[in-house]
Amino acid sequence: MSFDLPRNVILPVDAVDVRLDPGPHPFALSNAAAIAENWRREIAANPALFDGAVVLLAELAYRDGRLVGRCHAVNYSTFMLWRKRRENSGAEHAYAHAVLVAGDNALVAIRMGPHTVNAGRVYFAAGSFEPIDFRDGLVDVDFNMIREVREETGLDLSTAERGRRYHALSTASGTVIFRRYRVAESADELARRISAFVATETDPEIEGPVIIRHAGDLPAGLMPHMKPLVEWHFGGDR
C-alpha cells in the first residue's frame, strides 16, 4: 500500500482507518545513531523540547472515501530527525485539525509560542497523534482534536456541532485530516477566552489566538497547508 493518495487536493473522508502497529518503525531502527546525535543538538538549541511519544505513518492510502493506513509509535527525537530526512524515508506524518468556526463564521486559529518547534507559526490548535489517541489499535481522530484544543486553548469542543464528515489534504510535508467544529460564541469572545487561558499557564504552548474573517485574511506566519483550508471554509464547502 505504501503512500497512495492524491496530493495537493482536498479529499472528502467518510472514515479514517489508521491502525497502530506495536512494532518499531523501520526509520527508527535504521537511524538510531543519527537520531541520538541530532537530538543532542536539538535540546542544546532548545532545552524545552520533550522526547515524548508521537506516531509516524508507514502506510497511507485513499480508498473509496476512506483513509486507510498503518503507523508506529516513535520518540519525538525520531520525529525531529525524520523532519530533516523525510524524502524517501519510508515514513510520513499525519495530524488533525479541528477547524474552529465561531458563531459569526470567522475561524479561530492560534500562533505557537516562542519555545516551540513551530514558533510564531499560525494554524488551528493541533498536535501529532499520540498512542493515547488510539482505541483498540484504531486512531480516534476526534479524541485527538478535542484533546489538543483543550490543552492549547482551554476550550472544550466535546459538545460543539461537528461537520458531517472529515476532509484531508495531503502534501509533501504531511497529511492533515480536518473537520469543522462550530460553536455559538463570536470569534472575539473565543479569542478573549483563549487569551485568558494562556495568561494562566506557566509555560503555554501558544502565544495566543488568531482570528481569520475571510479568505483573503491570511495572517503573517500562516503555515502553507492552512491557505487551502481557509479558502475551503469560506468557499462554502460542506
Side-chain angles (χ1 to χ4, degrees), residues 27 81-91 93 172-174:
F27 180 84
L81 180 70
W82 169 82
R83 280 165 54 108
K84 300 176 179 178
R85 299 186 179 183
R86 65 182 73 202
E87 188 174 353
N88 301 316
S89 65
H93 184 223
S173 62

Side-chain angles (χ1 to χ4, degrees):
M1 182 169 61
S2 190
F3 299 100
D4 181 18
L5 67 168
R7 305 291 192 178
N8 303 308
V9 59
I10 290 177
L11 305 169
V13 176
D14 295 315
V16 181
D17 185 3
V18 174
R19 298 186 177 273
L20 185 63
D21 188 317
H25 198 294
F27 180 84
L29 290 176
S30 60
N31 292 278
I35 289 166
E37 177 57 31
N38 182 68
W39 186 243
R40 282 192 286 271
R41 292 194 295 268
E42 295 285 357
I43 59 175
N46 186 355
L49 294 177
F50 173 65
D51 199 14
V54 296
V55 304
L56 270 180
L57 292 164
E59 298 178 338
L60 189 66
Y62 184 64
R63 298 280 188 270
D64 300 320
R66 299 165 62 243
L67 283 177
V68 182
R70 178 170 57 90
C71 59
H72 302 255
V74 300
N75 288 335
Y76 193 64
S77 53
T78 300
F79 178 76
M80 291 294 285
L81 180 70
W82 169 82
R83 280 165 54 108
K84 300 176 179 178
R85 299 186 179 183
R86 65 182 73 202
E87 188 174 353
N88 301 316
S89 65
E92 290 197 11
H93 184 223
Y95 52 99
H97 275 344
V99 178
L100 179 53
V101 183
D104 50 14
N105 203 44
L107 300 174
V108 181
I110 53 92
R111 189 180 301 279
M112 292 301 292
H115 64 285
T116 64
V117 170
N118 290 321
R121 304 309 297 270
V122 174
Y123 48 93
F124 295 113
S128 297
F129 292 118
E130 301 177 15
I132 61 171
D133 296 319
F134 290 76
R135 301 289 175 269
D136 298 322
L138 179 68
V139 70
D140 185 336
V141 178
D142 287 284
F143 178 86
N144 169 270
M145 291 176 177
I146 292 169
R147 177 178 65 79
E148 291 288 350
V149 170
R150 183 185 294 114
E151 290 176 1
E152 294 186 2
T153 71
L155 300 178
D156 182 2
L157 298 185
S158 59
T159 60
E161 176 190 345
R162 302 179 190 181
R164 64 185 180 88
R165 62 166 25 139
Y166 302 107
H167 287 77
L169 173 65
S170 187
T171 70
S173 62
T175 298
V176 56
I177 304 165
F178 56 99
R179 188 179 210 171
R180 283 190 181 92
Y181 277 72
R182 293 185 180 273
V183 297
E185 293 97 326
S186 69
D188 288 335
E189 172 60 17
L190 291 173
R192 185 198 65 76
R193 290 175 57 191
I194 293 170
S195 296
F197 173 79
V198 171
T200 68
E201 293 282 279
T202 303
D203 192 19
E205 287 189 64
I206 70 171
E207 182 179 307
V210 177
I211 298 173
I212 302 172
R213 298 192 183 277
H214 54 81
D217 184 16
L218 303 178
L222 192 72
M223 290 287 276
H225 72 270
M226 284 287 291
K227 185 174 185 288
L229 272 61
V230 170
E231 293 172 343
W232 165 84
H233 170 70
F234 289 109
D237 192 298
R238 296 294 181 268

